Coordinates of all heavy atoms in Angstrom, one line a residue:
P1 N 22.1 -17.0 -6.5 CA 20.9 -17.4 -7.2 C 19.9 -16.2 -7.1 O 19.8 -15.5 -6.1 CB 20.4 -18.6 -6.4 CG 21.3 -18.8 -5.2 CD 22.4 -17.9 -5.4
R2 N 19.1 -16.1 -8.1 CA 18.1 -15.0 -8.2 C 16.9 -15.3 -7.4 O 16.5 -16.5 -7.3 CB 17.7 -14.9 -9.7 CG 16.8 -13.7 -9.9 CD 16.8 -13.4 -11.4 NE 15.8 -12.3 -11.5 CZ 14.8 -12.3 -12.3 NH1 14.5 -13.3 -13.1 NH2 14.0 -11.2 -12.3
R3 N 16.4 -14.3 -6.7 CA 15.2 -14.5 -5.9 C 14.0 -14.3 -6.7 O 13.9 -13.4 -7.5 CB 15.3 -13.5 -4.7 CG 16.6 -13.7 -3.9 CD 16.7 -12.5 -3.0 NE 15.5 -12.3 -2.3 CZ 15.4 -12.4 -1.0 NH1 16.4 -12.7 -0.3 NH2 14.2 -12.2 -0.4
G4 N 13.0 -15.1 -6.3 CA 11.7 -15.0 -7.0 C 10.8 -14.0 -6.3 O 11.1 -13.4 -5.3
P5 N 9.7 -13.6 -6.9 CA 8.8 -12.6 -6.4 C 8.2 -13.0 -5.0 O 8.0 -12.1 -4.2 CB 7.6 -12.5 -7.5 CG 7.9 -13.6 -8.4 CD 9.2 -14.2 -8.2
L6 N 7.9 -14.3 -4.8 CA 7.4 -14.7 -3.5 C 8.4 -14.4 -2.4 O 8.1 -13.9 -1.3 CB 7.0 -16.2 -3.5 CG 6.3 -16.7 -2.3 CD1 5.0 -15.9 -2.0 CD2 6.0 -18.1 -2.4
E7 N 9.7 -14.8 -2.6 CA 10.7 -14.5 -1.6 C 10.9 -13.0 -1.4 O 11.0 -12.6 -0.2 CB 12.0 -15.1 -2.1 CG 12.0 -16.6 -2.2 CD 13.2 -17.2 -3.0 OE1 13.5 -16.6 -4.1 OE2 13.7 -18.2 -2.6
T8 N 10.8 -12.3 -2.4 CA 11.0 -10.8 -2.3 C 9.8 -10.2 -1.5 O 10.0 -9.4 -0.6 CB 11.0 -10.1 -3.7 OG1 12.2 -10.7 -4.4 CG2 11.2 -8.6 -3.6
A9 N 8.6 -10.7 -1.7 CA 7.4 -10.3 -1.0 C 7.5 -10.6 0.5 O 7.1 -9.8 1.3 CB 6.1 -10.9 -1.6
F10 N 8.0 -11.8 0.8 CA 8.1 -12.2 2.2 C 9.1 -11.3 2.9 O 8.9 -10.9 4.0 CB 8.6 -13.7 2.3 CG 7.4 -14.6 2.2 CD1 7.6 -15.8 1.4 CD2 6.2 -14.5 2.9 CE1 6.5 -16.7 1.3 CE2 5.2 -15.4 2.8 CZ 5.4 -16.5 2.0
D11 N 10.2 -11.0 2.2 CA 11.2 -10.1 2.8 C 10.6 -8.7 3.0 O 10.8 -8.1 4.1 CB 12.4 -9.9 1.9 CG 13.4 -11.1 2.0 OD1 13.2 -12.0 2.9 OD2 14.3 -11.3 1.1
R12 N 9.8 -8.2 2.1 CA 9.2 -6.9 2.2 C 8.2 -6.9 3.4 O 8.1 -6.0 4.2 CB 8.5 -6.5 1.0 CG 9.3 -5.5 0.1 CD 8.6 -5.0 -1.1 NE 9.0 -5.9 -2.2 CZ 8.2 -6.4 -3.1 NH1 7.0 -6.1 -3.1 NH2 8.7 -7.1 -4.0
E13 N 7.5 -8.0 3.5 CA 6.5 -8.1 4.6 C 7.2 -8.2 6.0 O 6.8 -7.5 6.9 CB 5.7 -9.4 4.4 CG 4.5 -9.5 5.3 CD 3.7 -10.7 5.0 OE1 3.2 -10.9 3.8 OE2 3.4 -11.5 5.9
A14 N 8.3 -8.9 6.0 CA 9.1 -9.0 7.3 C 9.6 -7.6 7.6 O 9.6 -7.1 8.8 CB 10.2 -10.0 7.2
L15 N 10.2 -6.9 6.7 CA 10.8 -5.6 6.9 C 9.7 -4.6 7.3 O 9.9 -3.8 8.2 CB 11.5 -5.1 5.6 CG 12.1 -3.7 5.7 CD1 13.2 -3.7 6.9 CD2 12.8 -3.3 4.4
D16 N 8.5 -4.7 6.7 CA 7.4 -3.8 7.0 C 7.0 -4.0 8.5 O 6.8 -3.1 9.3 CB 6.2 -4.0 6.1 CG 5.1 -3.1 6.3 OD1 5.3 -1.9 6.4 OD2 3.9 -3.6 6.4
G17 N 6.9 -5.3 8.9 CA 6.6 -5.6 10.3 C 7.6 -5.1 11.3 O 7.3 -4.6 12.3
Y18 N 8.9 -5.3 10.9 CA 10.0 -4.8 11.7 C 9.9 -3.3 11.9 O 9.9 -2.7 13.0 CB 11.3 -5.2 11.1 CG 12.5 -4.4 11.7 CD1 13.0 -4.8 13.0 CD2 13.1 -3.4 11.1 CE1 14.1 -4.2 13.6 CE2 14.2 -2.7 11.6 CZ 14.7 -3.1 12.9 OH 15.7 -2.5 13.4
E19 N 9.6 -2.5 10.8 CA 9.6 -1.1 10.9 C 8.4 -0.6 11.7 O 8.5 0.3 12.4 CB 9.6 -0.5 9.5 CG 10.9 -0.7 8.8 CD 11.0 -0.2 7.4 OE1 9.9 0.0 6.7 OE2 12.1 0.0 6.8
K20 N 7.2 -1.3 11.5 CA 6.0 -0.9 12.3 C 6.3 -1.2 13.8 O 5.9 -0.3 14.6 CB 4.8 -1.7 11.8 CG 4.2 -1.2 10.5 CD 3.0 -2.1 10.1 CE 2.5 -1.6 8.8 NZ 1.4 -2.5 8.4
A21 N 6.9 -2.3 14.1 CA 7.2 -2.6 15.5 C 8.2 -1.7 16.1 O 8.0 -1.2 17.2 CB 7.7 -4.1 15.6
L22 N 9.2 -1.3 15.3 CA 10.2 -0.4 15.8 C 9.6 1.0 16.1 O 10.0 1.6 17.1 CB 11.3 -0.2 14.7 CG 12.5 0.6 15.0 CD1 13.3 -0.1 16.1 CD2 13.4 0.8 13.8
A23 N 8.6 1.4 15.3 CA 7.9 2.7 15.6 C 7.2 2.7 16.9 O 6.8 3.8 17.4 CB 7.0 3.0 14.4
T24 N 6.9 1.5 17.4 CA 6.1 1.5 18.7 C 7.0 1.7 19.9 O 6.5 1.9 21.0 CB 5.4 0.1 18.9 OG1 6.3 -0.9 19.1 CG2 4.5 -0.2 17.7
L25 N 8.3 1.6 19.7 CA 9.3 1.8 20.8 C 9.5 3.3 21.1 O 9.3 4.1 20.2 CB 10.6 1.1 20.5 CG 10.6 -0.3 20.1 CD1 12.0 -0.8 19.8 CD2 10.0 -1.1 21.3
R26 N 10.0 3.6 22.3 CA 10.4 4.9 22.6 C 11.6 5.3 21.8 O 12.4 4.5 21.4 CB 10.8 5.0 24.1 CG 9.6 4.8 25.1 CD 10.0 5.0 26.5 NE 11.4 4.8 26.8 CZ 11.9 3.8 27.5 NH1 11.1 2.8 27.9 NH2 13.2 3.7 27.7
P27 N 11.7 6.6 21.5 CA 12.9 7.1 20.7 C 14.2 6.5 21.1 O 15.0 6.1 20.3 CB 12.8 8.6 20.7 CG 11.3 8.9 20.9 CD 10.8 7.7 21.8
E28 N 14.4 6.5 22.4 CA 15.7 6.0 23.0 C 15.9 4.5 22.6 O 17.0 4.1 22.3 CB 15.7 6.2 24.5 CG 17.0 5.7 25.2 CD 16.9 5.8 26.7 OE1 15.9 5.3 27.3 OE2 17.8 6.4 27.2
E29 N 14.8 3.8 22.7 CA 14.9 2.4 22.4 C 15.1 2.1 20.9 O 15.9 1.3 20.5 CB 13.6 1.7 22.8 CG 13.4 1.6 24.3 CD 12.0 1.1 24.7 OE1 11.0 1.4 24.0 OE2 12.0 0.4 25.7
Q30 N 14.4 2.9 20.1 CA 14.6 2.9 18.7 C 16.0 3.1 18.3 O 16.6 2.3 17.5 CB 13.7 3.9 17.9 CG 12.2 3.6 18.0 CD 11.4 4.7 17.3 OE1 11.9 5.5 16.5 NE2 10.2 4.8 17.7
E31 N 16.6 4.1 18.9 CA 18.0 4.5 18.6 C 18.9 3.3 19.0 O 19.8 2.9 18.2 CB 18.4 5.8 19.3 CG 19.8 6.2 19.0 CD 20.2 7.4 19.7 OE1 19.6 7.8 20.7 OE2 21.2 8.1 19.3
A32 N 18.7 2.8 20.1 CA 19.6 1.7 20.6 C 19.5 0.5 19.7 O 20.5 -0.2 19.4 CB 19.2 1.3 22.1
V33 N 18.3 0.1 19.3 CA 18.0 -1.1 18.4 C 18.7 -0.8 17.1 O 19.4 -1.7 16.6 CB 16.5 -1.3 18.3 CG1 16.3 -2.3 17.1 CG2 16.0 -1.9 19.6
V34 N 18.5 0.3 16.5 CA 19.1 0.6 15.2 C 20.6 0.6 15.3 O 21.3 0.0 14.4 CB 18.6 2.0 14.7 CG1 19.4 2.4 13.5 CG2 17.1 1.9 14.3
L35 N 21.2 1.2 16.3 CA 22.6 1.2 16.5 C 23.2 -0.2 16.6 O 24.2 -0.6 16.0 CB 23.1 2.0 17.7 CG 22.9 3.5 17.6 CD1 23.1 4.2 18.9 CD2 23.9 4.1 16.5
R36 N 22.6 -1.0 17.4 CA 23.1 -2.4 17.7 C 22.8 -3.3 16.6 O 23.7 -4.0 16.1 CB 22.5 -2.9 19.0 CG 23.0 -4.2 19.4 CD 24.5 -4.2 19.8 NE 24.9 -5.5 20.2 CZ 26.1 -6.0 20.1 NH1 27.0 -5.2 19.6 NH2 26.3 -7.2 20.5
L37 N 21.5 -3.4 16.1 CA 21.1 -4.4 15.1 C 21.4 -4.0 13.7 O 21.8 -4.9 12.9 CB 19.7 -4.8 15.3 CG 19.2 -5.3 16.7 CD1 17.7 -5.7 16.6 CD2 20.1 -6.5 17.1
E38 N 21.2 -2.8 13.4 CA 21.3 -2.4 12.0 C 22.7 -1.8 11.7 O 23.3 -2.1 10.6 CB 20.3 -1.3 11.6 CG 18.9 -1.8 11.7 CD 17.8 -0.8 11.2 OE1 18.2 0.1 10.4 OE2 16.7 -0.8 11.7
M39 N 23.3 -1.1 12.6 CA 24.6 -0.5 12.4 C 25.7 -1.3 13.0 O 26.9 -1.0 12.8 CB 24.6 0.9 13.1 CG 23.5 1.8 12.6 SD 23.6 2.3 10.9 CE 25.0 3.4 11.0
D40 N 25.4 -2.4 13.7 CA 26.4 -3.4 14.3 C 27.3 -2.7 15.2 O 28.5 -3.0 15.3 CB 27.1 -4.1 13.2 CG 27.8 -5.4 13.7 OD1 27.2 -6.0 14.6 OD2 28.8 -5.7 13.1
C41 N 26.8 -1.7 16.0 CA 27.7 -1.0 17.0 C 27.9 -1.9 18.2 O 27.0 -2.7 18.5 CB 27.0 0.3 17.4 SG 27.0 1.6 16.2
S42 N 29.0 -1.8 18.8 CA 29.3 -2.5 20.1 C 28.5 -1.8 21.2 O 27.9 -0.7 21.0 CB 30.8 -2.4 20.4 OG 31.1 -1.0 20.7
Y43 N 28.3 -2.5 22.3 CA 27.6 -1.9 23.4 C 28.3 -0.6 23.9 O 27.7 0.3 24.4 CB 27.4 -2.9 24.6 CG 26.4 -4.0 24.2 CD1 26.8 -5.3 24.1 CD2 25.1 -3.7 23.9 CE1 25.9 -6.3 23.8 CE2 24.2 -4.6 23.6 CZ 24.6 -5.9 23.5 OH 23.7 -6.9 23.1
E44 N 29.6 -0.6 23.8 CA 30.4 0.6 24.2 C 30.0 1.8 23.3 O 29.8 2.9 23.8 CB 31.9 0.3 24.1 CG 32.5 -0.6 25.2 CD 32.2 -2.1 24.8 OE1 31.8 -2.4 23.7 OE2 32.5 -2.9 25.7
E45 N 29.9 1.5 22.0 CA 29.5 2.6 21.1 C 28.1 3.0 21.3 O 27.7 4.2 21.3 CB 29.7 2.1 19.6 CG 31.1 1.9 19.2 CD 31.2 1.1 17.9 OE1 30.5 0.1 17.7 OE2 32.1 1.6 17.1
V46 N 27.2 2.0 21.6 CA 25.8 2.4 21.9 C 25.7 3.3 23.1 O 25.0 4.3 23.1 CB 24.9 1.1 22.1 CG1 23.5 1.5 22.5 CG2 24.8 0.3 20.8
A47 N 26.5 2.9 24.1 CA 26.5 3.7 25.4 C 27.0 5.1 25.0 O 26.4 6.1 25.5 CB 27.5 3.1 26.4
R48 N 28.1 5.3 24.3 CA 28.6 6.6 24.0 C 27.6 7.4 23.2 O 27.3 8.6 23.5 CB 29.9 6.4 23.2 CG 30.6 7.8 22.9 CD 31.9 7.6 22.3 NE 32.0 6.6 21.2 CZ 31.6 6.9 19.9 NH1 31.1 8.1 19.6 NH2 31.6 6.0 19.0
L49 N 27.0 6.8 22.2 CA 26.1 7.5 21.3 C 24.7 7.8 21.9 O 24.0 8.8 21.4 CB 25.9 6.7 20.0 CG 27.2 6.6 19.1 CD1 27.0 5.6 18.0 CD2 27.5 8.0 18.5
T50 N 24.3 7.1 22.9 CA 23.0 7.3 23.6 C 23.2 8.0 24.9 O 22.2 8.3 25.6 CB 22.2 6.0 23.8 OG1 23.0 5.1 24.6 CG2 21.9 5.4 22.4
G51 N 24.4 8.3 25.3 CA 24.7 9.0 26.6 C 24.5 8.1 27.8 O 24.3 8.6 28.9
K52 N 24.6 6.8 27.6 CA 24.5 5.9 28.8 C 25.8 5.9 29.5 O 26.9 6.1 29.0 CB 24.1 4.5 28.3 CG 22.7 4.4 27.7 CD 21.7 4.9 28.7 CE 20.3 5.0 28.1 NZ 19.4 5.7 28.9
R53 N 25.8 5.5 30.8 CA 27.0 5.5 31.7 C 28.0 4.4 31.3 O 29.1 4.6 31.5 CB 26.6 5.4 33.1 CG 25.9 6.7 33.7 CD 25.6 6.5 35.1 NE 24.6 5.5 35.3 CZ 24.6 4.6 36.3 NH1 25.6 4.6 37.2 NH2 23.7 3.7 36.4
S54 N 27.4 3.3 30.9 CA 28.3 2.1 30.7 C 27.8 1.3 29.5 O 26.6 1.4 29.1 CB 28.5 1.3 31.9 OG 27.2 0.7 32.2
A55 N 28.7 0.4 29.1 CA 28.3 -0.6 28.1 C 27.2 -1.5 28.6 O 26.3 -1.9 27.9 CB 29.5 -1.4 27.6
N56 N 27.3 -1.8 29.9 CA 26.3 -2.7 30.5 C 24.9 -2.1 30.5 O 23.9 -2.7 30.3 CB 26.7 -3.2 31.9 CG 25.9 -4.3 32.4 OD1 25.7 -5.3 31.7 ND2 25.3 -4.2 33.6
T57 N 24.9 -0.8 30.8 CA 23.6 0.0 30.8 C 23.0 0.0 29.4 O 21.8 -0.2 29.2 CB 23.8 1.4 31.3 OG1 24.4 1.4 32.6 CG2 22.5 2.2 31.4
A58 N 23.9 0.2 28.4 CA 23.4 0.2 27.0 C 22.9 -1.2 26.6 O 21.9 -1.4 25.9 CB 24.6 0.6 26.1
R59 N 23.6 -2.3 27.1 CA 23.2 -3.6 26.8 C 21.8 -3.9 27.3 O 21.0 -4.5 26.6 CB 24.2 -4.6 27.4 CG 23.9 -6.1 27.1 CD 24.9 -7.0 27.8 NE 24.8 -7.0 29.2 CZ 23.8 -7.5 29.9 NH1 22.9 -8.2 29.4 NH2 23.9 -7.4 31.3
M60 N 21.6 -3.5 28.6 CA 20.3 -3.7 29.1 C 19.2 -2.9 28.4 O 18.1 -3.4 28.2 CB 20.2 -3.3 30.6 CG 21.0 -4.2 31.5 SD 20.6 -6.0 31.3 CE 18.9 -5.9 31.7
L61 N 19.5 -1.7 27.9 CA 18.6 -1.0 27.1 C 18.2 -1.7 25.8 O 17.1 -1.9 25.5 CB 19.1 0.4 26.8 CG 18.4 1.3 25.8 CD1 17.0 1.6 26.3 CD2 19.1 2.5 25.4
V62 N 19.2 -2.2 25.2 CA 19.0 -3.0 23.9 C 18.2 -4.3 24.2 O 17.3 -4.6 23.4 CB 20.4 -3.3 23.2 CG1 20.2 -4.3 22.1 CG2 21.1 -2.0 22.8
V63 N 18.6 -5.0 25.2 CA 17.9 -6.3 25.5 C 16.4 -6.0 25.8 O 15.6 -6.7 25.2 CB 18.6 -7.0 26.7 CG1 17.7 -8.1 27.3 CG2 19.9 -7.5 26.3
R64 N 16.1 -5.0 26.5 CA 14.7 -4.7 26.8 C 14.0 -4.2 25.6 O 12.8 -4.6 25.4 CB 14.6 -3.7 28.0 CG 15.0 -4.3 29.3 CD 15.0 -3.3 30.4 NE 15.4 -3.9 31.7 CZ 16.2 -3.4 32.5 NH1 16.7 -2.2 32.4 NH2 16.6 -4.0 33.6
A65 N 14.7 -3.4 24.8 CA 14.0 -2.9 23.6 C 13.8 -4.0 22.6 O 12.7 -4.0 21.9 CB 14.9 -1.8 23.0
V66 N 14.7 -4.9 22.4 CA 14.5 -6.0 21.5 C 13.4 -6.9 22.0 O 12.6 -7.4 21.1 CB 15.8 -6.8 21.3 CG1 15.6 -8.1 20.6 CG2 16.9 -5.9 20.6
A67 N 13.2 -7.1 23.3 CA 12.1 -7.9 23.8 C 10.8 -7.2 23.4 O 9.8 -7.9 23.0 CB 12.3 -8.1 25.3
R68 N 10.7 -5.9 23.6 CA 9.5 -5.2 23.3 C 9.3 -5.2 21.8 O 8.1 -5.3 21.3 CB 9.6 -3.7 23.8 CG 9.5 -3.7 25.3 CD 9.4 -2.3 25.8 NE 8.2 -1.6 25.2 CZ 8.1 -0.3 25.1 NH1 9.0 0.5 25.5 NH2 7.0 0.1 24.5
L69 N 10.3 -5.1 21.0 CA 10.3 -5.2 19.5 C 9.7 -6.5 19.1 O 8.8 -6.6 18.3 CB 11.6 -5.0 18.9 CG 11.8 -5.0 17.4 CD1 11.1 -3.8 16.8 CD2 13.2 -5.1 17.0
A70 N 10.2 -7.6 19.7 CA 9.7 -8.9 19.4 C 8.2 -9.1 19.7 O 7.4 -9.7 18.9 CB 10.5 -10.0 20.1
E71 N 7.8 -8.5 20.8 CA 6.4 -8.6 21.2 C 5.5 -7.8 20.2 O 4.4 -8.3 19.8 CB 6.2 -8.0 22.6 CG 6.8 -8.8 23.7 CD 6.7 -8.1 25.1 OE1 6.2 -7.0 25.2 OE2 7.3 -8.7 26.1
A72 N 6.0 -6.7 19.8 CA 5.2 -5.9 18.9 C 5.1 -6.6 17.5 O 4.1 -6.6 16.9 CB 5.8 -4.5 18.7
M73 N 6.2 -7.2 17.1 CA 6.2 -7.9 15.8 C 5.2 -9.1 15.9 O 4.5 -9.3 14.9 CB 7.6 -8.4 15.4 CG 8.5 -7.2 15.0 SD 10.2 -7.7 14.6 CE 9.9 -8.5 13.0
A74 N 5.2 -9.8 17.0 CA 4.3 -10.9 17.2 C 2.8 -10.4 17.1 O 2.0 -11.0 16.5 CB 4.5 -11.6 18.5
R75 N 2.5 -9.2 17.7 CA 1.2 -8.7 17.7 C 0.8 -8.3 16.3 O -0.3 -8.6 15.8 CB 1.1 -7.4 18.6 CG 0.9 -7.7 20.0 CD 0.5 -6.4 20.8 NE 1.3 -5.2 20.5 CZ 2.4 -4.9 21.1 NH1 2.9 -5.7 22.1 NH2 3.1 -3.8 20.8
F76 N 1.7 -7.7 15.5 CA 1.4 -7.4 14.1 C 1.1 -8.6 13.3 O 0.3 -8.7 12.4 CB 2.5 -6.5 13.5 CG 2.5 -5.1 14.0 CD1 3.7 -4.6 14.5 CD2 1.4 -4.3 14.0 CE1 3.7 -3.3 15.0 CE2 1.4 -3.0 14.4 CZ 2.5 -2.5 14.9
R77 N 1.9 -9.7 13.5 CA 1.8 -10.9 12.8 C 0.4 -11.6 13.1 O -0.3 -12.0 12.2 CB 2.9 -11.9 13.2 CG 3.6 -12.5 12.1 CD 4.7 -13.5 12.4 NE 5.1 -13.6 13.8 CZ 6.2 -13.0 14.3 NH1 6.9 -12.3 13.6 NH2 6.5 -13.2 15.6
T78 N 0.0 -11.5 14.4 CA -1.3 -12.1 14.8 C -2.4 -11.3 14.2 O -3.4 -11.9 13.8 CB -1.4 -12.1 16.4 OG1 -0.3 -12.8 16.9 CG2 -2.6 -12.7 16.8
Q79 N -2.3 -10.0 14.2 CA -3.4 -9.2 13.6 C -3.6 -9.4 12.1 O -4.7 -9.3 11.6 CB -3.1 -7.7 13.8 CG -3.2 -7.3 15.3 CD -2.7 -5.8 15.5 OE1 -2.2 -5.2 14.5 NE2 -2.7 -5.4 16.7
R80 N -2.5 -9.8 11.4 CA -2.6 -10.0 10.0 C -3.3 -11.3 9.7 O -3.9 -11.4 8.6 CB -1.2 -10.0 9.5 CG -1.0 -9.4 8.1 CD 0.4 -9.4 7.6 NE 1.1 -10.7 7.8 CZ 2.2 -10.8 8.5 NH1 2.7 -9.8 9.2 NH2 2.8 -12.0 8.7
C81 N -3.3 -12.3 10.5 CA -3.9 -13.6 10.3 C -5.4 -13.6 10.4 O -6.0 -12.9 11.1 CB -3.3 -14.7 11.2 SG -1.5 -14.9 10.9

């Protein structure tokens, strides 16, 4: 089904909020989030590409970064209202 302008605008707004929130993270966190969420890399791949010692270390980096990302997105949403 074709999407209407309102649906498209909401998607753009959500993407804009995600990108602004992502920019608030440290470069290492940004890389980990992009690799895991956008590129669908495994934790093993994230570890290898970010120079982490293990998949578990990479997993913790991603978990913490996603938590910070969610907090930043919530702040941006609150500021908009």
